[in-house]
Amino acid sequence: MSDLLLLGGIALCLISVVVAVVQLLQTRPPRAAAILLVLGIAAIFAAAWLGPQPFGLEQIPQAWARVTGGATAP
């Protein structure tokens, strides 16, 4: 569960950047981007709280491998 929350939170944060750029190009306030960013950060914090071990940058490829069933390089 924490792997899905971690990857979902990262995806929401990345999507929020794209949405912010689009909304700023349309000269609209980036409200949706701010909401997506807050939801993404909340999902990452929830994943950290539910996870059995501390998170680091090496956890992201490992979480991807566990979710997709693929292997990662050592």
Side-chain angles (χ1 to χ4, degrees):
M1 180 69 168
S2 65
D3 291 337
L4 291 174
L5 284 171
L6 175 65
L7 294 174
I10 292 170
L12 283 174
C13 289
L14 291 175
I15 291 171
S16 74
V17 173
V18 175
V19 170
V21 169
V22 169
Q23 287 183 330
L24 288 173
L25 288 174
Q26 295 175 348
T27 64
R28 294 173 42 201
R31 291 184 186 114
I35 292 170
L36 287 174
L37 182 66
V38 169
L39 289 175
I41 291 172
I44 291 171
F45 277 127
W49 187 64
L50 291 175
Q53 57 194 8
F55 279 156
L57 288 177
E58 68 276 355
Q59 289 293 107
I60 296 170
Q62 293 171 1
W64 180 261
R66 286 191 295 267
V67 168
T68 61
T72 61

